[in-house]
Amino acid sequence: MKKQRILGTISLIFALLIFELDRTGELVLVSGALLGLGVSLFFIPLIKRAL
């Protein structure tokens, strides 16, 4: 569970870096995919713990 949160955090950081550094907009799909992956990996363990 802790590995999921770490991977989610790393994925969110990479998504934000790609989003900020990509001025042409060509990597929007990659950034969006990493953002979705990061959010799911980060928040699913927290939701499971709350339930």
Side-chain angles (χ1 to χ4, degrees):
M1 195 177 308
K2 188 168 180 132
K3 287 181 185 178
Q4 278 185 330
R5 289 189 65 199
I6 292 170
L7 287 173
T9 305
I10 291 170
S11 179
L12 286 172
I13 290 170
F14 276 123
L16 291 174
L17 281 174
I18 289 172
F19 183 75
E20 289 295 323
L21 295 177
D22 183 31
R23 298 289 180 212
T24 60
E26 294 176 357
L27 297 175
V28 171
L29 292 176
V30 174
S31 177
L34 281 174
L35 187 64
L37 178 69
V39 167
S40 65
L41 284 176
F42 187 80
F43 286 110
I44 286 176
L46 295 178
I47 292 171
K48 282 184 179 179
R49 189 180 311 164
L51 296 176

